[in-house]
Amino acid sequence: MSLFPEPSCPTVPLSNGMQIPILGLGTSHDGGYSHDAIVYALTECGMRHIDTAQRYGCEKNLGKVIKESGVQRSDLWLTNKLWPGNYGYEAATKACLDSCSKMGVEYFDLFLMHWPGSQRPGCSNREMRAETWRALEELYKEGMCRAIGVSNFLVHHLEQLKEDCTVVPHVNQVEYHPFQQPTHLIEYCRKEGIVFEGYSPLAKGQVLNHPIINQIAQKHGRTPAQISICWSIQVVTFITLVLSKGMFLCFIKHSFSTTQNGVVTIPKSTKKNRIQENCQVFGFQLEETDMNILGQLHDGRHVTWDPTNVE
């Protein structure tokens, strides 16, 4: 029996009407790929959101996993990311098609520019971002990518892209965990209708030994990893029973809270027990005091790339 049945994972609406699962499984070139673990995530945990990138070099392997799992392509959400070495209109188009071929799929649910900087001499980052984004816009219009977005983009990168192109990114995927909470960027994305997605939610394991996070975990009978993931994805939902002539007519869900995050989150692991643990975060909710305490742990640290100085 699935530990994480598909309907139990909430989705977040994109500006084009697509629904992205709020929890996904990240992959990586650096110890972040395991064939057996991903098969387990798909077949035993009901995971349906997989995030990868051209840079990770595991596209062909992921294609084999998808085929072996028996999960229908239409039931999956696949995200891939375009590496700067493939930036430029023609190169980006070719790279997307090549990635589809490697993975044995006809489209990606989400295709992202991986980094705001380019690798082409004599061309500004802004010019290269605009040229590359126009290619993604065409891929989107042709249905090769059902949604398009960016990764590691800051506000000024997004502002320039909005001025230079037509389609506003559907998603911005950025490092996000209790120690790295880019509030200004999150607020900007929400104002512009860009879904904020967080990677490295466990800060490469640094959350696991933090005393405050461990204290909250003990209170709830959960693990520090589950607390950090729950903090990231939590949207507090209250159910109102609508009564008419003494009969229950329907349930109306209201989502509101001063402490909700609702960030799409993609923890990664090569261990089956860790993947199972990371999936089991929908059976409890953190209290408002917990959310506030975790919200105060921001210290600005990056555990991965820092795009601050990219023009």
Side-chain angles (χ1 to χ4, degrees):
M1 182 176 178
S2 175
L3 300 168
F4 176 46
E6 184 180 356
S8 71
C9 182
T11 60
V12 175
L14 305 185
S15 61
N16 65 352
M18 297 290 295
Q19 297 279 339
I20 181 172
I22 200 168
L23 183 67
L25 178 65
T27 58
S28 173
H29 62 286
D30 184 15
Y33 183 82
S34 166
H35 179 91
D36 291 343
I38 297 176
V39 170
Y40 177 81
L42 291 172
T43 59
E44 299 297 326
C45 299
M47 182 66 72
R48 293 296 179 263
H49 176 180
I50 305 293
D51 180 280
T52 192
Q54 294 172 348
R55 184 171 184 260
Y56 303 161
C58 60
E59 292 168 308
K60 288 185 178 180
N61 289 329
L62 277 174
K64 294 177 183 177
V65 166
I66 293 168
K67 185 176 182 179
E68 181 178 324
S69 73
V71 177
Q72 295 296 313
R73 172 66 185 93
S74 58
D75 293 333
L76 290 173
W77 181 282
L78 297 181
T79 296
N80 204 342
K81 296 183 280 291
L82 178 75
W83 186 240
N86 291 321
Y87 282 6
Y89 186 88
E90 293 183 0
T93 302
K94 181 179 184 302
C96 180
L97 297 177
D98 287 348
S99 288
C100 282
S101 177
K102 288 178 182 178
M103 291 185 66
V105 298
E106 296 181 350
Y107 65 91
F108 290 117
D109 297 281
L110 178 61
F111 197 55
L112 308 176
M113 292 177 62
H114 204 152
W115 183 250
S118 72
Q119 297 180 347
R120 181 186 294 182
C123 185
S124 72
N125 287 332
R126 179 172 183 170
E127 290 171 334
M128 185 53 64
R129 286 193 295 265
E131 180 184 336
T132 303
W133 188 251
R134 283 192 289 271
L136 266 64
E137 288 181 336
E138 287 299 315
L139 290 165
Y140 173 57
K141 292 174 183 176
E142 293 170 3
M144 295 297 300
C145 307
R146 300 175 74 193
I148 52 177
V150 295
S151 183
N152 300 295
F153 275 44
L154 302 180
V155 171
H156 68 280
H157 303 133
L158 295 167
E159 277 287 290
Q160 291 174 355
L161 201 61
K162 187 172 68 171
E163 293 173 4
D164 296 339
C165 301
T166 302
V167 179
V168 175
H170 299 116
V171 172
N172 185 21
Q173 185 186 111
V174 178
E175 180 181 343
Y176 183 72
H177 45 75
F179 313 128
Q180 178 55 235
Q181 303 179 42
T183 304
H184 176 60
L185 178 60
I186 294 172
E187 291 175 350
Y188 174 86
C189 287
R190 288 178 174 165
K191 178 174 66 73
E192 297 295 327
I194 302 169
V195 166
F196 187 87
E197 180 175 9
Y199 67 80
S200 296
L202 307 183
K204 292 192 174 180
Q206 293 181 27
V207 304
L208 304 182
N209 297 316
H210 194 280
I212 292 177
I213 297 175
N214 271 272
Q215 185 178 25
I216 295 173
Q218 290 174 9
K219 182 176 77 171
H220 289 276
R222 297 285 175 162
T223 67
Q226 289 174 328
I227 295 300
S228 296
I229 294 170
C230 185
W231 167 81
S232 181
I233 67 175
Q234 180 160 305
V235 178
V236 180
T237 302
F238 299 88
I239 308 295
T240 299
L241 300 179
V242 180
L243 299 174
S244 176
K245 296 181 180 179
M247 300 293 291
F248 291 109
L249 290 186
C250 60
F251 295 93
I252 299 178
K253 291 186 178 181
H254 301 283
S255 297
F256 58 93
S257 173
T258 57
T259 56
Q260 62 181 313
N261 288 331
V263 171
V264 178
T265 303
I266 47 171
K268 66 183 181 184
S269 180
T270 59
K271 297 179 173 61
K272 294 179 181 179
N273 63 318
R274 293 291 190 185
I275 291 174
Q276 177 184 338
E277 174 187 324
N278 293 344
C279 287
Q280 294 176 331
V281 291
F282 299 110
F284 75 105
Q285 287 190 331
L286 297 174
E287 299 167 2
E288 185 170 356
T289 54
D290 300 327
M291 296 291 285
N292 287 331
I293 290 170
L294 293 168
Q296 294 172 13
L297 295 183
H298 172 80
D299 57 20
R301 82 181 77 166
H302 283 276
V303 299
T304 180
W305 307 335
D306 181 358
T308 303
N309 295 322
V310 179
E311 296 181 354

